[in-house]
Amino acid sequence: MLSNVNLSNDLQLLSYGGRVIIVGARGPIEINPRDTMLKETSIIGVSLYSSTKEDWQESSAVLLAGMEIGWLNPLVGTEYPLEKAPQAHEDLIHSSGATGKMVFVI
């Protein structure tokens, strides 16, 4: 998801006390602060560059467990053969947004 495109809509979906975590952004974001006030929601920015090896291992373990148990279902987007990587890059650059993660098939 592109936070600079979707954040305002994402805030509408939150429950009382909900949180939106922003891991990356491709541009400036403008929101109406009232969208966070009514439900007392939070917007949290995260930088993965400061994560330790232990942080990565813990996060990976939780994500893997979520997939095994079934509460985490990754959304897979377009699949490309590895030799079509340049085309995949072009498609991504010229798209208005992606649905799911791009996958390269080897």
Side-chain angles (χ1 to χ4, degrees):
M1 303 283 176
L2 295 172
S3 59
N4 57 308
V5 174
N6 298 314
L7 183 58
S8 187
N9 293 330
D10 293 343
L11 294 175
Q12 306 301 317
L13 301 173
L14 293 176
S15 296
Y16 182 85
R19 294 170 288 195
V20 172
I21 310 298
I22 299 175
V23 179
R26 290 190 183 172
I29 301 170
E30 184 174 321
I31 62 160
N32 183 341
R34 290 182 181 184
D35 291 340
T36 63
M37 297 163 63
L38 181 62
K39 297 180 188 175
E40 296 186 8
T41 59
S42 303
I43 302 169
I44 301 169
V46 176
S47 171
L48 297 176
Y49 297 111
S50 60
S51 299
T52 65
K53 182 178 180 180
E54 291 78 21
D55 291 336
W56 282 98
Q57 289 172 336
E58 181 181 348
S59 297
S60 296
V62 170
L63 293 173
L64 182 58
M67 288 185 280
E68 289 173 347
I69 294 168
W71 58 261
L72 179 61
N73 298 305
L75 181 59
V76 177
T78 309
E79 295 183 15
Y80 292 90
L82 188 56
E83 56 272 6
K84 297 270 186 174
Q87 180 62 49
H89 189 204
E90 286 295 321
D91 292 350
L92 184 62
I93 289 171
H94 298 295
S95 73
S96 60
T99 300
K101 291 295 180 187
M102 181 184 298
V103 174
F104 290 108
V105 179
I106 299 176

